[in-house]
């Protein structure tokens, strides 16, 4: 996986020490959706010409991301590609392998009627929707708030989710990335329906700012996580125990439930 055009924001503000965390997050947050523990990570950096200072900052972020997710940075590849990339341009890709006992596998087959849907807050935009963000920025004044929010690193949920999997506290989960909240439908079988009460979602200032830039509700929901970084599906009786494994800032809260219906999603 990669971090898309968030790289262009890093280039614009000349801040490169956190996008490595994003790169790791985009890979390991997808692994833990099944309950897998990340084992190791590899990176690929392609650029027009290697800028050692910039690359050190990027790799520092990758190392930090691996520490947060408790996996090993096993190696990587750096390629100079003049003519392919413009001056000062570069791209990142990451690859991660995880391990999972079949007995601990979580997913759509475990979801039951009347299960509840819990939202875990995001740390911000994470690493999706930046093409639209950049379009908005063309006609907007960029202050310190925006600089901080636009490069805030993606929350890595590895430690919390793996503890829940170990304790058999969740049935299924979804990493809310490209496609927004609609991602959760992939974590539920075809004979059941996802019901989400949008009024319960706790948004953040950055999403309110974006909404004011003439972006429709539907486009917001399909492009950004809107404050929900990860979703859990579990039995209602387990909500309080699930909550124990999270810091106050990322406490899960109820946003919906599972039911039997002909529709895949009800908002």
């Amino acid at each position: 996986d990669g971090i898309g055009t968030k790289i262009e924001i890093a280039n614009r503000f000349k801040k490169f020490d956190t996008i490595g965390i994003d790169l790791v997050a985009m890979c390991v947050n997808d692994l833990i959706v099944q309950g897998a523990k990340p084992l190791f990570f590899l990176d690929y950096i392609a650029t027009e010409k290697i800028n050692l200072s910039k690359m050190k900052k990027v790799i520092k972020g990758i190392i930090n991301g691996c520490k947060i997710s408790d996996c090993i940075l096993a190696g990587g590849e750096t390629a100079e590609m003049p003519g392919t990339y413009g001056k000062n341009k570069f791209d990142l890709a990451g690859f991660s392998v995880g391990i999972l006992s079949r007995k601990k596998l979580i997913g759509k087959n475990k979801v039951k009627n009347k299960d509840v849907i819990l939202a875990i807050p995001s740390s911000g935009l994470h690493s999706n929707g930046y093409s639209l963000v950049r379009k908005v920025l063309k006609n907007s004044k960029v202050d310190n708030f925006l600089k901080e929010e636009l490069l805030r690193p993606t929350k890595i949920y590895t430690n919390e989710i793996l503890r829940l999997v170990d304790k058999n506290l969740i049935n299924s989960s979804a990493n809310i990335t490209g496609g927004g909240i609609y991602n959760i439908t992939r974590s539920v079988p075809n004979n059941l329906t996802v019901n989400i009460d949008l009024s319960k979602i706790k948004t953040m200032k950055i999403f309110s700012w974006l909404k004011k830039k003439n972006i429709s509700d539907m486009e917001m929901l399909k492009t950004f996580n809107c404050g929900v970084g990860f979703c859990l599906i579990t039995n209602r009786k387990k909500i309080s125990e699930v909550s124990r494994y999270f810091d106050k800032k990322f406490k899960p809260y109820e946003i919906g439930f599972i039911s039997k219906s002909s529709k895949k999603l009800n908002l």
Side-chain angles (χ1 to χ4, degrees):
D1 211 338
I3 63 168
T5 57
K6 191 169 187 175
I7 278 183
E8 298 302 326
I9 301 294
N11 259 332
R12 176 171 175 173
F13 299 144
K14 295 180 170 53
K15 187 177 185 329
F16 306 101
D17 58 334
T18 57
I19 54 173
I21 298 175
D22 291 299
L23 185 66
V24 176
M26 294 303 283
C27 294
V28 299
N29 282 347
D30 275 349
L31 284 177
I32 60 175
V33 163
Q34 304 151 84
K37 172 180 167 47
L39 291 180
F40 61 85
F41 183 85
L42 296 166
D43 64 72
Y44 172 75
I45 305 172
T47 183
E48 177 257 347
K49 182 175 177 61
I50 292 174
N51 178 319
L52 201 55
S53 175
K54 184 189 294 186
M55 290 302 110
K56 281 183 177 179
K57 290 173 183 175
V58 172
I59 293 168
K60 178 185 176 183
I62 293 172
I63 292 169
N64 285 340
C66 287
K67 285 180 179 176
I68 295 167
S69 55
D70 193 26
C71 72
I72 296 166
L73 178 57
E77 169 74 8
T78 305
E80 277 191 331
M81 300 171 68
T84 300
Y85 291 90
K87 188 176 181 181
N88 296 322
K89 298 292 185 179
F90 69 103
D91 198 9
L92 299 175
F95 168 82
S96 189
V97 168
I99 190 169
L100 170 68
S101 164
R102 286 187 185 274
K103 291 184 290 185
K104 295 291 185 181
L105 179 69
I106 62 172
K108 62 173 68 177
N109 294 333
K110 288 192 172 184
V111 177
K112 297 177 177 62
N113 185 33
K114 297 183 181 179
D115 275 353
V116 293
I117 301 166
L118 304 179
I120 307 175
S122 66
S123 56
L125 284 165
H126 284 186
S127 300
N128 295 100
Y130 276 83
S131 293
L132 181 53
V133 168
R134 288 168 57 233
K135 183 179 178 182
V136 167
L137 288 180
K138 287 181 180 178
N139 300 308
S140 303
K141 181 181 177 182
V142 178
D143 56 16
N144 289 332
F145 159 74
L146 272 182
K147 288 181 181 179
E148 183 177 352
E149 287 299 322
L150 295 179
L151 285 173
R152 189 181 297 281
T154 306
K155 162 71 176 167
I156 293 174
Y157 299 95
T158 304
N159 294 327
E160 297 94 333
I161 301 304
L162 293 184
R163 278 183 278 176
L164 297 178
V165 171
D166 186 58
K167 300 290 184 181
N168 294 313
L169 290 174
I170 52 176
N171 297 331
S172 188
S173 67
N175 183 23
I176 308 304
T177 55
I181 200 74
Y182 291 87
N183 272 294
I184 197 171
T185 59
R186 296 184 295 183
S187 304
V188 176
N190 291 330
N191 63 320
L192 294 176
T193 297
V194 173
N195 301 274
I196 293 177
D197 184 347
L198 295 177
S199 69
K200 291 185 177 180
I201 292 178
K202 300 173 184 177
T203 55
M204 302 171 183
K205 191 175 178 181
I206 183 63
F207 298 108
S208 300
W209 182 87
L210 284 164
K211 181 68 183 75
K212 292 174 183 175
K213 301 300 177 180
N214 201 29
I215 302 175
S216 70
D217 290 347
M218 186 62 70
E219 192 167 15
M220 287 291 298
L221 287 169
K222 286 192 170 184
T223 306
F224 304 111
N225 67 60
C226 294
V228 179
F230 210 88
C231 281
L232 307 174
I233 301 174
T234 187
N235 186 286
R236 181 173 295 280
K237 294 177 181 178
K238 296 180 179 180
I239 293 176
S240 60
E241 194 173 353
V242 166
S243 185
R244 287 174 44 210
Y245 291 90
F246 292 84
D247 294 336
K248 185 178 180 181
K249 186 178 178 182
F250 294 101
K251 285 281 185 189
Y253 60 95
E254 189 175 345
I255 60 168
F257 62 95
I258 303 299
S259 67
K260 289 184 178 180
S261 171
S262 58
K263 290 182 70 175
K264 188 71 176 173
L265 177 67
N266 285 320
L267 296 176

